[in-house]
Amino acid sequence: MLKCLIPLKNNLRDRVSQRLIGLLLVLGPSLAFAELPTMEAPSRGEGSGLIETIKNYAYDGGILLGLLIALLAFLGVAWHSLTVYADVQNQRKTWKDLGAVVGIGALLVVIIIWFLTKAAAIL
């Protein structure tokens, strides 16, 4: 007699779990009281009007773009140095070639950062 009650017990448990999941899906979003973070002011301040505030945000965007350019230059030099190092290990190039690539690449990155710093002062 107990064996015939087992399917009813499982069926009841499934229905209760389905209703609980449905209730959580309906009430879940209303239980979240998270707020959006406030927008941070630009580095030069908000300015006295809308146009100045937009210019200050554009300045921050320009600085970010300059940092991305410097990052890409650094990654490009690092990637090329690694490929030359692999060629040195495979005896296709010499250590002098690797030294030249690393030296000129480091100088190139320093010049790019210097130009970007000068450009930021112009903005």
mmCIF file of all heavy atoms in Angstrom, residues 12 53 67 98 101 111:
data_model
loop_
_atom_site.group_PDB
_atom_site.id
_atom_site.type_symbol
_atom_site.label_atom_id
_atom_site.label_comp_id
_atom_site.label_asym_id
_atom_site.label_seq_id
_atom_site.Cartn_x
_atom_site.Cartn_y
_atom_site.Cartn_z
ATOM 1 N N LEU A 12 3.511 15.606 -5.748
ATOM 2 C CA LEU A 12 3.245 16.745 -4.879
ATOM 3 C C LEU A 12 4.510 17.588 -4.693
ATOM 4 O O LEU A 12 4.472 18.811 -4.745
ATOM 5 C CB LEU A 12 2.721 16.257 -3.523
ATOM 6 C CG LEU A 12 2.403 17.334 -2.505
ATOM 7 C CD1 LEU A 12 1.267 18.207 -3.012
ATOM 8 C CD2 LEU A 12 2.043 16.713 -1.177
ATOM 9 N N THR A 53 31.074 70.728 -19.607
ATOM 10 C CA THR A 53 31.088 69.380 -19.039
ATOM 11 C C THR A 53 31.370 68.345 -20.127
ATOM 12 O O THR A 53 32.165 67.415 -19.927
ATOM 13 C CB THR A 53 29.746 69.077 -18.355
ATOM 14 O OG1 THR A 53 29.490 70.090 -17.372
ATOM 15 C CG2 THR A 53 29.767 67.723 -17.678
ATOM 16 N N LEU A 67 46.252 56.526 -23.679
ATOM 17 C CA LEU A 67 46.746 55.364 -22.926
ATOM 18 C C LEU A 67 46.607 54.072 -23.733
ATOM 19 O O LEU A 67 47.486 53.204 -23.689
ATOM 20 C CB LEU A 67 45.979 55.243 -21.607
ATOM 21 C CG LEU A 67 46.340 56.246 -20.525
ATOM 22 C CD1 LEU A 67 45.371 56.138 -19.354
ATOM 23 C CD2 LEU A 67 47.762 56.025 -20.056
ATOM 24 N N LEU A 98 68.197 40.797 -31.783
ATOM 25 C CA LEU A 98 67.263 40.939 -30.662
ATOM 26 C C LEU A 98 67.551 42.205 -29.866
ATOM 27 O O LEU A 98 66.633 42.940 -29.492
ATOM 28 C CB LEU A 98 67.331 39.711 -29.742
ATOM 29 C CG LEU A 98 66.416 39.760 -28.522
ATOM 30 C CD1 LEU A 98 64.961 39.786 -28.940
ATOM 31 C CD2 LEU A 98 66.703 38.597 -27.598
ATOM 32 N N VAL A 101 66.252 45.181 -31.813
ATOM 33 C CA VAL A 101 64.783 45.261 -31.783
ATOM 34 C C VAL A 101 64.306 45.768 -30.427
ATOM 35 O O VAL A 101 63.441 46.648 -30.349
ATOM 36 C CB VAL A 101 64.159 43.886 -32.116
ATOM 37 C CG1 VAL A 101 62.682 43.859 -31.763
ATOM 38 C CG2 VAL A 101 64.344 43.562 -33.582
ATOM 39 N N ILE A 111 59.240 57.521 -27.039
ATOM 40 C CA ILE A 111 58.883 58.655 -27.898
ATOM 41 C C ILE A 111 57.366 58.770 -28.035
ATOM 42 O O ILE A 111 56.811 59.878 -27.989
ATOM 43 C CB ILE A 111 59.562 58.521 -29.275
ATOM 44 C CG1 ILE A 111 61.069 58.748 -29.123
ATOM 45 C CG2 ILE A 111 58.973 59.493 -30.288
ATOM 46 C CD1 ILE A 111 61.863 58.446 -30.368
#
